[in-house]
Structures are given as structure tokens and as C-alpha cells.
């Protein structure tokens, strides 16, 4: 069996993560290793139980099965996750473990030369620019990188005899939402802006630039700004950011080299450092504005984001009609574009395994998993029911290939209840993003909803109440809309035809006012019974409002519409023969979907309604 390297990685959608994974997989595959990425998204501290579910990813794999492990704990955004993983690796890992950008006792670590790199940046402003009015935006408290970069700033300021007051330092969170707060802090008690704002990473620097621009302050003419990491956004920003370029690719390749060397009996130092390169650009006035990049690619990327947002919204709507998990997987298949990869495996927990429903076991996986679905390229979906040991991560045949494999694993969980995981292959031309997270959240929510319903004794009764009209027994609007959407999409895909009938009961108000609402109910049921007698087995009828009915009818020939109308009127005439108090009638309008090619469903409904009102108007004129 081929050797495997695992990487535990948080905030998988980031640019750094993409660069790092590409470097790791290329280097590891060249040396004959499979790569297994155990991925998590951020919890953002909004929901403790959701954070617990994300944290469950550290329990997905058995560390003892790997030949090397890489950890990026500074990217975890779930409280306590990094410490729990460290304790687990200490106990269970039997291979070299390398931490990137952080260090844990007894394990290998590749660290940035944070102090030396930031010292170089601060000296650029004190020595090359001659600045003395300098503010500093630090990273989140307790983070190693943030502490070292802040220490470098403080030491240079002390050496230069520049006093550091309380409002010269602001503690951010390494993200883009603190720019306004930071600038407000820096401006407390002063009338003029500082000469420069040095930031501990690019995201915070970009947020500061945005806020300064909003205030009419120019960068670098009025205030210089610098960052750290030199990410893509910093390169494309105007002004291009002066920053410290981190060799993420080299760092990732070095981690693989350490693992391979140790596995082959070679010694490697436990702590190794990598420098960051000072890159001077327009945001400090020492460089030119870089080209913005491929405008077409940027527009295409923005379009994909908009399309993904729309698809996730539509996906959530379709999940509302799912009562069983296979229905959920059909919706998931329909919106598979959010996954980004060509192939996805859905491995669900064995819910019959002892302890699955126990509260204390909610954030763990079952020992046996069931591969239920495989989504492949070209929209091929394979339903299966293959049980395997979770320790294997996937059935063995998916790893036993001629060439090394790379798989990404994402936990599927509703809050802290873990229902399984999704595994994908390596994305080719795209990368995981927040819409992938939304995709998994929506799927987990739908699965939870199905499981709640399945636990209830009267599931069929609930389904009936949800989709059927209580008075007439026909479908209600909700049930009819679902059937109609499915029928319409199939017809459009196969260029098939069918008819949508809009049916409005005549004179219900007159019956209610003259003979009472009980008589009105009798009339409504009479129309419903007539419709039930007219429709065929593969057709359907519904009461979609007070006196509003609808039907899906087969269109077999040019006379199908007239035949339906005639049969319905005959049924009503038969009913009216024995009635003396009131008559039951209906106005009918029908639209065939092929009459309005390429039009959306709502246009077909409008045509049917328009024809129904024309029928009603004709009756009034002849009365």
C-alpha cells in the first residue's frame, strides 16, 4: 500500500491554503505519497455547537495510519481545536509531524522569521523614510506570529527613541473587518494622521486602506500603509501593497522534505526558519503600481461568485421539499458545482452503530461508514451502499491506483451532530470557497430535517398534511408546485409537452352568501371530485387557493385540451342534475409548455391564467 501524508488545515478557502496544498501535493506525489487533507471551515464564534461540529474533523482520521502529518493550527478558528489535535497527535501519531508557521514541543516546526522580517519593514520606514509618527496594527492576541511581529516593532521603536503610546498600537484579528475601528483608535486624541500604519498582515492592511479612502485620505500621499504575506489581493490592490512576501510554496515543500528525510533515517532539526522578502510597492511610495491583472478573469470570477450565491439560495429552497435522505442527495447532485472538484464521495455514519445517538458521542464519527453516493464528472451520479472501516477513509480501491491520489475530507454535521463526511479529489481549475461551506451546511440541515421526520410515528400523515388540501384531498399549492417544477424541468430537458390547466370555480361567493359556507364547501368538494374523475393516473389536480384549482394534463394530440374541458364539464353537469339550490361550474384555461418555448414556468402559468379569465369573461357576456 502506498504511503500517505495527512494535512490538517483550517479555513480551507484561503489563498495561502490553495498555494500550500498545491505545493504539498506536487512534492508529495513526486516522492510517491498519497495526500489526505482533513479540512475545516471557520466557526466564526457565532455558534458553539456548530464550532464543535467543525472541530470533529480532527477525529475523522486515525493518525497512526499516516506516514507523515502536517498541521496548520494557526488557521483553525474553532476554540480549543488546536490543543485537542496536539494531544491526539502526541498519543496516536507514529510518524513525523510537522507544524507550519507554529511549533509544538517534541514535534517539527517550520516558522517564519517573523521578528527579522518585521524588523526589516519597520526600519524601512524609520531609516529610509525618516518617519517617527508610526502606528501599528497587530494580529490577534496569543498568536505566535502576531507576538513576534509586535516584538520587532517595539524593539525598533525603543532603539530609535520613539515613544509608543497606548493609541499607537491596535490589536486586530488578521481579517478585513477592523479597518475602521483601527483608524478610529489611532486618531484618538490627535488632529493629524500618522505618517505610516504598519500592519501585521495584508488583510488588515487592505482594511486600513479602504477606511482611509472612505475618509478622503490618500495612500501613500497622506499616509503610507504596509502589510505582511503579499497575498494576491495585496498585489492587485490599488495602491499595490508594500509587504513582506512569504514563500508559502517553499515552506510547504520543506515540510514534505522533512517527513521524507525522517522516514528514510535522516536527521532534521526540530525548528527551522524561513525568511520573508521585503517587497516595496506604491502603498509606501517606493514602487510603481502593478498591473491589475487579467480583467476578463476577474470578471469571470465575480460572475461565478454571483452564480454560486444564487445556486445556494435555490438549493436551500429545494431542500425544503425533502423528507428522505435520498431526496436530499438528489438535490445535492443537482447543485454539485459548489463542490469545485470533479469527483465527490459521500460517506455517511452507520446510524445503527451503538452510541451514535448518545449526546456525549455527537461530535465523533462511527467506526463503520457507508459510502452512499459518488458524484463523478459529466454529471454522473452513482448510488451505492458500501460499508467500510472509517480508518480506511474510503474503500481501498480508491487509493489503490497506479498514480498517487489526493483527497480532501469535509465533515457533514448539523451543529455538533456528525452525519458523515464528503471526500473529493483535487480541484483542477478552481478552489474551495465559502459556497462549498454553504453547500455542506445546507445538506446537513436537510439531513437533520429528514431524520427528525423519520423519528416521528406519523410521517406519512405529516407528508399528507404538508402536501394535501384538507378539505378536498387534492394536492395543495405546496405539493402541486413541487410536482409541477419537476415535470416542467424534465419536459424542458427532453423537449416534451404537457398542459397546465388553470381552473377557477364559478360563483363561490354567491353560494357562500346565499346558502352558507357549508354549502360552499360542498361545492368545492364537488369540483374536486369532478377533477379527480377526469384526470388520468399520471396526471394530477390541486386546490391552490380558495376557489382556485389547477391540473397537470397530458397532451397527446391537438384535441387534448378540448377533451379535458369537455370531460370536466360533463362531470359537473352530471352533478348539477340532482341539485336544486345551486350549480357548480368552472372556468378553464390551458397552456401547453411547448407553446411558449424557452419561457420560464411562470410565463406558462400566466398564459393559463389569462385564458381562464377569458373563459370566465365570455360566460358573463353570454349570461
Amino acid at each position: 500500500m502506498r504511503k500517505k501524508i495527512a494535512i490538517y488545515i483550517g479555513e480551507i478557502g484561503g489563498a495561502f491554503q490553495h498555494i500550500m496544498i498545491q505545493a504539498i501535493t506536487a512534492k508529495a506525489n513526486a516522492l510517491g505519497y498519497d495526500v489526505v487533507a482533513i479540512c475545516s471551515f471557520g466557526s466564526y464564534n457565532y455558534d458553539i455547537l456548530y464550532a464543535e461540529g467543525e472541530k470533529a474533523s480532527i477525529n475523522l482520521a486515525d493518525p497512526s495510519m499516516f506516514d507523515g502529518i502536517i498541521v496548520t493550527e494557526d488557521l483553525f478558528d474553532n476554540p480549543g481545536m488546536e490543543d485537542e489535535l496536539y494531544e491526539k497527535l502526541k498519543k496516536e501519531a507514529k510518524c513525523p509531524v510537522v507544524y507550519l508557521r507554529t511549533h509544538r514541543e517534541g514535534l517539527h516546526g517550520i516558522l517564519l522569521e517573523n521578528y527579522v522580517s518585521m524588523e526589516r519593514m519597520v526600519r524601512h520606514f524609520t531609516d529610509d523614510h525618516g518617519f517617527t509618527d508610526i502606528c501599528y496594527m497587530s494580529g490577534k492576541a496569543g498568536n505566535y506570529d502576531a507576538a513576534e511581529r509586535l516584538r520587532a516593532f517595539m524593539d525598533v521603536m525603543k532603539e530609535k527613541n520613539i515613544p509608543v503610546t497606548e493609541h499607537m498600537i491596535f490589536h486586530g484579528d488578521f481579517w478585513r473587518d477592523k479597518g475602521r475601528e483601527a483608524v478610529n483608535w489611532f486618531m484618538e486624541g490627535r488632529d493629524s494622521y500618522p505618517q505610516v500604519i504598519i500592519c501585521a498582515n495584508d488583510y488588515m492592511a487592505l482594511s486600513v486602506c479602504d477606511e482611509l479612502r472612505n475618509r478622503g485620505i490618500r495612500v501613500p500621499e497622506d499616509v503610507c500603509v504596509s502589510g505582511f504575506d503579499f497575498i494576491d489581493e495585496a498585489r492587485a490592490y490599488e495602491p499595490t501593497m508594500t509587504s513582506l512576501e512569504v514563500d508559502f510554496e517553499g515552506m510547504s515543500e520543506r515540510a514534505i522534505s522533512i517527513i521524507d528525510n525522517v522516514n528514510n533515517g535522516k536527521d532534521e532539526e526540530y525548528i527551522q526558519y524561513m525568511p520573508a522578502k521585503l517587497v516595496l510597492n506604491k502603498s509606501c511610495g517606493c514602487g510603481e503600481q502593478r498591473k491589475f491583472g487579467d480583467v476578463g478573469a476577474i470578471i469571470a470570477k465575480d460572475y461565478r461568485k454571483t452564480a454560486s450565491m444564487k445556486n445556494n439560495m435555490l438549493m436551500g429552497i429545494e431542500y425544503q421539499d425533502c423528507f428522505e435522505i435520498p431526496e436530499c442527495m438528489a438535490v445535492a447532485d443537482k447543485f454539485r458545482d459548489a463542490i469545485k472538484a470533479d469527483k465527490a464521495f459521500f460517506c455517511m455514519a452507520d446510524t445503527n452503530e451503538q452510541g451514535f445517538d448518545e449526546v456525549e458521542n455527537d461530535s465523533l464519527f462511527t467506526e463503520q461508514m457507508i459510502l452512499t453516493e459518488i458524484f463523478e464528472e459529466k454529471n454522473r451520479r452513482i448510488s451505492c451502499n458500501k460499508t467500510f472501516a472509517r480508518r480506511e477513509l474510503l474503500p481501498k480501491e480508491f487509493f489503490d491506483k497506479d498514480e498517487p491520489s489526493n483527497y480532501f475530507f469535509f465533515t457533514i454535521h448539523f451543529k455538533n451532530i456528525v452525519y458523515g463526511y464528503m471526500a473529493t479529489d483535487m480541484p483542477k481549475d478552481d478552489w474551495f470557497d465559502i459556497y462549498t461551506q454553504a453547500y455542506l451546511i445546507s445538506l446537513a440541515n436537510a439531513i437533520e430535517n429528514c431524520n427528525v421526520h423519520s423519528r416521528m410515528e406519523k410521517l406519512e400523515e405529516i407528508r399528507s398534511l404538508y402536501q394535501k388540501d384538507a378539505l378536498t384531498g387534492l394536492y395543495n399549492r405546496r405539493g402541486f408546485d413541487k410536482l409541477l417544477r419537476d415535470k416542467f424541468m424534465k419536459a424542458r430537458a427532453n423537449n416534451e409537452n404537457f398542459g397546465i390547466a388553470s381552473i377557477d370555480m364559478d360563483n363561490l361567493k354567491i353560494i357562500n352568501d346565499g346558502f352558507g359556507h357549508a354549502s360552499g364547501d360542498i361545492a368545492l368538494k364537488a369540483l374536486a371530485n369532478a377533477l379527480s374523475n377526469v384526470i388520468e393516473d399520471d396526471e394530477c389536480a390541486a386546490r391552490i387557493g380558495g376557489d382556485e384549482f389547477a391540473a397537470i394534463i397530458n397532451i397527446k394530440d391537438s384535441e387534448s385540451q378540448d377533451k379535458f374541458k369537455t370531460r370536466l364539464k360533463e362531470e359537473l353537469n352530471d352533478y348539477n342534475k340532482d341539485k336544486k339550490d345551486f350549480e357548480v361550474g368552472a372556468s378553464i384555461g390551458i397552456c401547453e409548455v411547448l407553446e411558449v418555448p424557452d419561457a420560464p414556468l411562470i410565463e406558462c402559468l400566466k398564459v393559463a391564467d389569462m385564458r381562464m379569465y377569458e373563459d370566465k369573461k365570455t360566460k358573463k357576456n353570454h349570461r
Side-chain angles (χ1 to χ4, degrees):
M1 182 179 290
R2 188 181 289 109
K3 294 180 178 180
K4 292 180 176 61
I5 291 176
I7 173 167
Y8 290 85
I9 183 167
E11 297 283 3
I12 184 64
F16 158 66
Q17 290 85 327
H18 191 188
I19 295 169
M20 182 183 65
I21 288 289
Q22 286 181 313
I24 286 174
T25 53
K27 180 81 171 180
N29 294 165
L31 294 172
Y33 291 92
D34 291 330
V35 175
V36 170
I38 311 296
C39 307
S40 63
F41 294 100
S43 67
Y44 314 113
N45 296 323
Y46 291 155
D47 191 306
I48 294 173
L49 292 180
Y50 178 80
E52 287 293 317
E54 282 292 289
K55 192 164 62 175
S57 62
I58 66 177
N59 296 309
L60 191 156
D62 178 359
S64 67
M65 69 173 287
F66 297 118
D67 302 283
I69 295 173
I70 298 171
V71 182
T72 62
E73 70 171 18
D74 62 322
L75 299 175
F76 296 158
D77 189 32
N78 304 290
M81 184 172 177
E82 62 273 19
D83 292 331
E84 288 187 29
L85 178 59
Y86 173 57
E87 293 300 324
K88 185 179 182 69
L89 295 180
K90 278 201 306 180
K91 293 177 183 177
E92 301 178 26
K94 297 177 173 59
C95 63
V97 178
V98 181
Y99 274 70
L100 288 182
R101 304 204 302 184
T102 57
H103 174 248
R104 288 282 187 165
E105 184 179 355
L107 302 176
H108 292 274
I110 302 177
L111 303 179
L112 281 172
E113 286 185 341
N114 285 291
Y115 184 94
V116 173
S117 301
M118 183 55 77
E119 180 187 34
R120 190 176 299 125
M121 178 67 78
V122 180
R123 289 189 185 280
H124 170 66
F125 288 110
T126 58
D127 298 355
D128 299 338
H129 285 269
F131 290 161
T132 57
D133 188 358
I134 303 173
C135 288
Y136 185 82
M137 188 172 183
S138 183
K140 53 188 175 183
N143 178 272
Y144 173 83
D145 290 350
E148 285 295 288
R149 295 170 194 179
L150 177 59
R151 185 167 69 88
F153 170 76
M154 296 296 290
D155 286 352
V156 174
M157 298 295 276
K158 182 178 180 179
E159 176 192 319
K160 300 295 182 181
N161 293 316
I162 302 174
V164 177
T165 61
E166 179 186 8
H167 284 273
M168 289 173 65
I169 298 176
F170 177 85
H171 291 274
D173 59 2
F174 283 138
W175 193 230
R176 287 195 66 159
D177 56 358
K178 299 284 186 180
R180 182 178 183 184
E181 190 178 343
V183 176
N184 283 340
W185 178 262
F186 296 142
M187 293 304 297
E188 187 75 26
R190 59 186 295 162
D191 297 324
S192 59
Y193 284 85
Q195 293 171 302
V196 60
I197 299 175
I198 300 174
C199 300
N201 84 337
D202 287 337
Y203 285 124
M204 295 190 298
L206 294 171
S207 73
V208 166
C209 286
D210 289 343
E211 177 59 22
L212 291 173
R213 177 183 286 120
N214 290 339
R215 296 171 180 233
I217 305 301
R218 300 169 300 167
V219 177
E221 292 84 355
D222 302 321
V223 178
C224 295
V225 178
S226 70
F228 198 120
D229 291 335
F230 205 38
I231 60 175
D232 287 344
E233 291 92 330
R235 298 167 191 260
Y237 194 79
E238 186 172 356
T240 305
M241 192 65 59
T242 288
S243 188
L244 288 152
E245 185 174 14
V246 177
D247 186 6
F248 295 129
E249 193 172 322
M251 181 181 289
S252 303
E253 291 173 347
R254 185 74 195 112
I256 297 296
S257 295
I258 291 173
I259 289 171
D260 194 58
N261 287 340
V262 172
N263 284 338
N264 287 294
K266 298 179 182 178
D267 291 333
E268 285 281 357
E269 298 211 5
Y270 273 86
I271 301 179
Q272 300 183 22
Y273 292 91
M274 302 220 29
K277 175 185 175 183
L278 179 62
V279 181
L280 302 179
N281 284 307
K282 191 177 179 182
S283 72
C284 77
C286 293
E288 297 298 323
Q289 176 65 32
R290 298 194 179 213
K291 291 183 179 179
F292 192 71
D294 185 346
V295 175
I298 293 168
I299 293 173
K301 183 177 180 181
D302 185 63
Y303 172 79
R304 289 196 301 272
K305 282 187 175 182
T306 302
S308 294
M309 290 174 65
K310 181 178 180 180
N311 282 340
N312 275 293
M313 177 188 67
L314 295 175
M315 178 175 60
I317 293 172
E318 295 216 14
Y319 275 134
Q320 293 172 3
D321 291 318
C322 295
F323 282 89
E324 297 177 357
I325 291 177
E327 294 175 342
C328 297
M329 298 312 301
V331 174
D333 179 42
K334 184 176 177 180
F335 293 93
R336 64 166 66 189
D337 285 350
I339 298 173
K340 307 301 181 187
D342 287 337
K343 187 175 292 187
F345 307 84
F346 291 87
C347 306
M348 309 310 291
D350 182 356
T351 56
N352 294 319
E353 189 172 298
Q354 185 176 1
F356 174 77
D357 281 331
E358 295 175 7
V359 173
E360 63 270 20
N361 198 46
D362 277 350
S363 43
L364 299 177
F365 297 83
T366 54
E367 292 304 314
Q368 295 292 312
M369 302 298 295
I370 303 171
L371 176 59
T372 61
E373 305 277 346
I374 304 174
F375 295 171
E376 293 187 337
E377 59 268 41
K378 298 180 182 178
N379 293 325
R380 183 176 177 226
R381 176 187 173 198
I382 304 171
S383 294
C384 44
N385 190 34
K386 187 177 183 65
T387 301
F388 64 97
R390 175 171 52 85
R391 190 178 188 278
E392 299 171 1
L393 296 175
L394 284 172
K396 292 180 180 180
E397 61 264 28
F398 296 109
F399 281 106
D400 293 341
K401 298 179 179 180
D402 294 336
E403 299 295 326
S405 302
N406 304 304
Y407 289 112
F408 297 76
F409 292 81
F410 302 85
T411 304
I412 300 173
H413 63 95
F414 174 80
K415 292 187 178 291
N416 62 326
I417 302 174
V418 174
Y419 282 119
Y421 54 82
M422 177 184 76
T424 78
D425 58 357
M426 180 86 171
K428 292 185 177 68
D429 304 315
D430 211 336
W431 190 241
F432 307 109
D433 54 25
I434 192 171
Y435 306 108
T436 307
Q437 182 181 14
Y439 177 87
L440 293 170
I441 290 173
S442 294
L443 174 58
N445 289 348
I447 291 173
E448 170 67 9
N449 186 55
C450 291
N451 285 330
V452 168
H453 283 294
S454 69
R455 296 186 188 108
M456 303 175 73
E457 294 180 355
K458 297 182 179 180
L459 176 60
E460 289 305 318
E461 181 181 344
I462 292 170
R463 186 193 297 268
S464 178
L465 290 172
Y466 186 80
Q467 295 185 339
K468 295 293 182 71
D469 175 54
L471 177 67
T472 65
L474 300 179
Y475 282 100
N476 59 20
R477 177 180 289 276
R478 184 183 292 112
F480 182 74
D481 282 354
K482 183 179 187 304
L483 291 172
L484 181 58
R485 287 200 312 272
D486 293 344
K487 179 87 171 175
F488 183 78
M489 292 180 66
K490 181 181 177 183
R492 279 286 189 252
N494 300 318
N495 198 35
E496 296 173 348
N497 197 20
F498 72 93
I500 303 171
S502 175
I503 304 159
D504 199 76
M505 182 176 174
D506 295 333
N507 303 318
L508 176 62
K509 186 177 187 305
I510 294 174
I511 297 172
N512 282 335
D513 292 346
F515 304 98
H517 285 274
S519 294
D521 288 347
I522 291 172
L524 288 168
K525 287 191 280 188
L527 177 53
N529 290 336
L531 275 169
S532 297
N533 292 336
V534 167
I535 61 172
E536 300 176 355
D537 289 341
D538 56 345
E539 298 175 328
C540 77
R543 180 188 176 205
I544 59 176
D547 57 356
E548 300 173 22
F549 292 76
I552 296 173
I553 63 172
N554 296 324
I555 300 297
K556 299 174 182 177
D557 51 44
S558 60
E559 298 179 354
S560 294
Q561 289 194 38
D562 290 337
K563 287 178 180 178
F564 175 82
K565 293 177 182 178
T566 299
R567 293 202 318 268
L568 181 58
K569 289 177 181 178
E570 288 174 350
E571 286 286 333
L572 292 175
N573 287 337
D574 289 343
Y575 176 82
N576 290 326
K577 285 178 183 177
D578 300 327
K579 301 299 170 185
K580 297 179 180 179
D581 293 338
F582 56 83
E583 288 191 351
V584 178
S587 300
I588 308 168
I590 299 175
C591 175
E592 298 179 25
V593 296
L594 289 185
E595 289 184 76
V596 279
D598 301 324
L601 176 58
I602 193 169
E603 290 300 321
C604 298
L605 291 169
K606 286 180 179 178
V607 171
D609 283 342
M610 179 187 69
R611 291 174 178 172
M612 181 273 293
Y613 285 118
E614 288 174 353
D615 184 31
K616 188 179 289 288
K617 183 178 179 181
T618 300
K619 288 180 182 178
K620 288 182 179 179
N621 291 337
H622 290 161
R623 188 170 301 156

